[in-house]
Amino acid sequence: MPVSDAIDNLFDSARNSPVDELDRDAVRRLLQDQANLIVSVGTGGPRIQDEDRRYQRSARVLNGNFQRLGLPLPFPWDSLWDWYGYYSTNLDTYQSRRAYVGTLTREALGNLDALEARGGVVDPSLTDPPPNWENIDRRITNLVDEYSTARDRDDWQDVGRRSREILIDFGKLIQDPDLVPLGTEAPKAADAKAWFDLFLACYAKGRDKSELRTTMRAVWALAQKVTHGDVADVDAFAAAQGTVLVVRTAQKLLQQAATDSP
């Protein structure tokens, strides 16, 4: 199968999977990024064929989170070609297109603000479900989709961010008091990296596993680099592929330990 066909298949399959739940600040950032892209395409910026997949990917996540919050969708276009059809017929000037998208964006932000005002203060730790393997598997599927449509540094850094967040939740998932050596204080619940190190010390112990431990720790550091550094496509690929390696290898180690148990 040609690479382009494989990427299209990944994109189509991920489009039918559940979207990541974002916090309110992340929803706002994604909303503004989407608005900027819509305006840019409609005012002589990048070509639609170069940005439409990115738009549809972001629209799916943005719309899914607005629906989860019970809010109207911020933008009515399923694709940038739909946006092109709308502004070609209704908005003759660049200024009118900027103004219209600005109005939609302000309305969406206002709806988010109103929701927060009604809801009062919320403790995310009381409302967010704890990580589980099904959730991690779903987010890996979304990560594959994210990388397959990434085209610039912002996209590649977003791949790194997703990789890091998956590893952090993975670290929370493997927390087990039995991993903590006797006489040692357990790491804080938020210190996913420390729990990850304890997991390796327990399930990948021994001199014959030293290379495995080194590799898995290096992957964690690589995901951090892609989030914050000056990155390229190859770095994002390595972070995404490495995240899959860490999670799947950990699952294998757990399966092996269960099999070896009397």
Side-chain angles (χ1 to χ4, degrees):
M1 176 185 295
V3 173
S4 60
D5 291 345
I7 291 176
D8 286 340
N9 288 342
L10 286 172
F11 180 68
D12 290 339
S13 62
R15 188 159 46 193
N16 296 321
S17 63
V19 300
D20 286 344
E21 293 188 7
L22 305 180
D23 61 38
R24 304 288 173 78
D25 288 339
V27 171
R28 286 186 173 89
R29 290 194 298 270
L30 183 57
L31 172 69
Q32 191 59 64
D33 289 344
Q34 192 78 324
N36 292 341
L37 177 59
I38 293 170
V39 169
S40 179
V41 167
T43 55
R47 300 185 307 167
I48 289 177
Q49 52 265 46
D50 293 335
E51 298 293 340
D52 192 43
R53 184 172 288 170
R54 173 187 168 194
Y55 172 86
Q56 291 188 46
R57 180 190 70 211
S58 297
R60 180 174 173 274
V61 176
L62 188 63
N63 291 346
N65 278 274
F66 267 74
Q67 289 173 333
R68 176 176 60 84
L69 296 170
L71 298 176
L73 301 186
F75 305 114
W77 310 290
D78 292 333
S79 72
L80 288 175
W81 290 111
D82 293 338
W83 162 233
Y84 170 79
Y86 180 85
Y87 73 67
S88 298
T89 303
N90 301 284
L91 305 170
D92 294 335
T93 66
Y94 286 179
Q95 181 179 358
S96 64
R97 296 167 194 172
R98 292 189 185 98
Y100 184 63
V101 175
T103 297
L104 294 178
T105 305
R106 287 190 295 274
E107 289 177 354
L109 289 171
N111 288 334
L112 285 168
D113 291 342
L115 179 66
E116 289 189 343
R118 292 195 305 268
V121 177
V122 176
D123 182 355
S125 67
L126 300 178
T127 59
D128 291 344
N132 55 57
W133 287 115
E134 182 179 358
N135 176 269
I136 295 290
D137 289 342
R138 172 176 59 81
R139 293 175 66 185
I140 285 178
T141 298
N142 290 338
L143 177 66
V144 171
D145 172 48
E146 185 80 17
Y147 173 75
S148 69
T149 57
R151 291 188 176 84
D152 55 32
R153 189 174 71 173
D154 287 343
D155 290 342
W156 296 325
Q157 286 181 337
D158 195 44
V159 170
R161 177 187 62 80
R162 284 179 181 266
S163 298
R164 184 187 65 174
E165 290 175 353
I166 289 171
L167 291 176
I168 289 173
D169 273 357
F170 160 75
K172 295 176 182 177
L173 181 59
I174 59 175
Q175 291 180 15
D176 183 347
D178 290 341
L179 297 176
V180 182
L182 291 176
T184 303
E185 185 177 355
K188 295 181 179 179
D191 193 350
K193 179 60 166 59
W195 283 105
F196 175 61
D197 287 336
L198 289 176
F199 176 88
L200 291 179
C202 178
Y203 290 98
K205 60 186 176 183
R207 298 182 62 180
D208 61 323
K209 296 287 195 307
S210 61
E211 294 86 358
L212 177 61
R213 294 192 299 272
T214 299
T215 298
M216 294 178 76
R217 287 171 178 142
V219 167
W220 198 294
L222 179 61
Q224 294 279 357
K225 172 184 181 297
V226 176
T227 302
H228 302 293
D230 186 10
V231 302
D233 182 16
V234 66
D235 303 299
F237 174 83
Q241 191 67 58
T243 298
V244 176
L245 180 148
V246 165
V247 173
R248 299 305 183 218
T249 302
Q251 290 173 327
K252 286 289 187 182
L253 289 170
L254 288 169
Q255 292 170 1
Q256 178 177 320
T259 302
D260 294 342
S261 296

